[in-house]
Amino acid sequence: MSIEKNLQEVQEKIRQAAERAGRDVSEITLIGVTKTHPVEPMREMIDLGIMDLGENKAQEVRDKYPELDREANWHFIGNLQKNKVKYVIDKVGMIHSVESGSLAKEISKRAIKLEKVMPVLVEVNISGEESKHGLKPEDVNDFLTEIEALEGIRVRGLMTMAPNYDDNEKTRSVFKGLKTLFDELNGMGRELDVLSMGMSNDYTIAIEEGATHVRVGNAILGKRDYTK
Ligand SMILES: *Cc1c(COP(=O)(O)O)cnc(C)c1O
């Protein structure tokens, strides 16, 4: 398994999906999801030009950040507990997974202290599956109104995870659902520009449906080993 070869393949598929959708490939940011992996493959990815890295555990960000002797844009993509915001607030450039007012307030409070503005995405549960995090689509507009008033954060867009369906058309309908919501909110005068959707299994579908950010781990780095 070579990271370089995998990456070339993913980038080629991204290019082809963008082309099918009539989109410019420069609109799409590939986030390399490095959770559970040590910093060595992270360095390798950065050296291959992948500057955007995704992590889903606050302690892992805290521990790996000082070890990684490279510039990178860290994205926090996992479920974030309020009491762990302090581990990531000074390290990550975007938090993809805001789904409660209390979490938004904690991020805001900590960002203000650091005199920064944290870009955030609101996680939406389009599929309605209970195992998935995020707000119901119909609650997103009011939630945005509530948290947009907070200083120290800036809502840039929406994020979702599709369930692992066997049927690609079901996956597609999840991504279409998020894109429709995104367009509706922008039609109401908001200025959202980030649509984070698509993982190793489904990033090409997500790109066809309008993703601006795809979060790809296994397809680049190989299967994760959770036992370590
Ligand atoms: C792990 C993870 C990914 C990447 O999943 P892969 O299947 O390895 O591509 C993307 N998004 C989130 C939120 C994740 O937790």
Side-chain angles (χ1 to χ4, degrees):
M1 199 265 322
S2 136
I3 293 176
E4 185 170 13
K5 228 176 112 260
N6 290 346
L7 190 57
Q8 280 170 357
E9 199 175 308
V10 169
Q11 286 172 318
E12 176 58 19
K13 285 188 180 161
I14 289 174
R15 205 190 54 70
Q16 290 171 359
E19 193 173 293
R20 282 195 297 279
R23 301 182 60 199
D24 192 326
V25 74
S26 67
E27 294 169 20
I28 297 146
T29 301
L30 170 59
I31 300 174
V33 176
T34 50
K35 64 189 190 195
T36 77
H37 291 279
V39 292
E40 188 44 45
M42 298 170 74
R43 285 194 190 103
E44 196 178 335
M45 283 205 332
I46 293 167
D47 293 345
L48 291 165
I50 301 302
M51 302 303 292
D52 291 272
L53 307 178
E55 290 283 340
N56 74 337
K57 293 244 157 50
Q59 289 98 325
E60 201 174 332
V61 172
R62 179 194 62 188
D63 296 343
K64 291 199 290 197
Y65 187 90
E67 266 190 71
L68 185 70
D69 48 356
R70 297 282 194 285
E71 284 281 332
N73 310 317
W74 295 65
H75 294 254
F76 196 84
I77 62 175
N79 178 29
L80 183 56
Q81 285 168 291
K82 248 176 38 181
N83 61 351
K84 296 189 177 147
V85 171
K86 59 178 180 283
Y87 297 146
V88 305
I89 190 77
D90 58 336
K91 302 180 182 66
V92 305
M94 188 178 282
I95 298 175
H96 288 229
S97 42
V98 171
E99 56 169 348
S100 74
S102 60
L103 175 60
K105 284 194 189 101
E106 176 68 14
I107 296 169
S108 159
K109 191 183 89 185
R110 299 240 169 219
I112 290 169
K113 248 191 223 164
L114 295 176
E115 295 181 3
K116 68 189 268 182
V117 176
M118 177 62 73
V120 302
L121 307 180
V122 171
E123 184 165 358
V124 187
N125 184 355
I126 297 288
S127 70
E129 277 203 2
E130 270 178 42
S131 64
K132 294 284 176 254
H133 284 275
L135 276 84
K136 289 187 194 147
E138 60 268 32
D139 294 338
V140 173
N141 186 40
D142 286 349
F143 182 67
L144 288 179
T145 304
E146 178 191 334
I147 69 171
E148 275 167 353
L150 295 170
E151 281 174 56
I153 65 173
R154 172 150 176 256
V155 183
R156 291 279 305 271
L158 307 177
M159 179 270 218
T160 200
M161 284 175 84
N164 207 349
Y165 296 127
D166 290 331
D167 178 356
N168 282 348
E169 291 314 305
K170 278 189 168 176
T171 307
R172 188 178 298 283
S173 76
V174 170
F175 296 148
K176 268 194 205 301
L178 193 68
K179 175 67 158 82
T180 300
L181 179 62
F182 179 82
D183 289 343
E184 278 170 12
L185 294 165
N186 279 333
M188 292 161 67
R190 300 190 192 276
E191 292 177 354
L192 307 178
D193 64 344
V194 176
L195 199 52
S196 169
M197 57 188 194
M199 315 184 1
S200 290
N201 285 335
D202 52 25
Y203 65 94
T204 57
I205 303 173
I207 289 166
E208 289 168 10
E209 299 305 330
T212 65
H213 289 60
V214 291
R215 310 177 307 265
V216 179
N218 285 340
I220 302 171
L221 293 173
K223 269 215 170 315
R224 283 178 290 275
D225 180 358
Y226 286 103
T227 60
K228 275 191 289 193

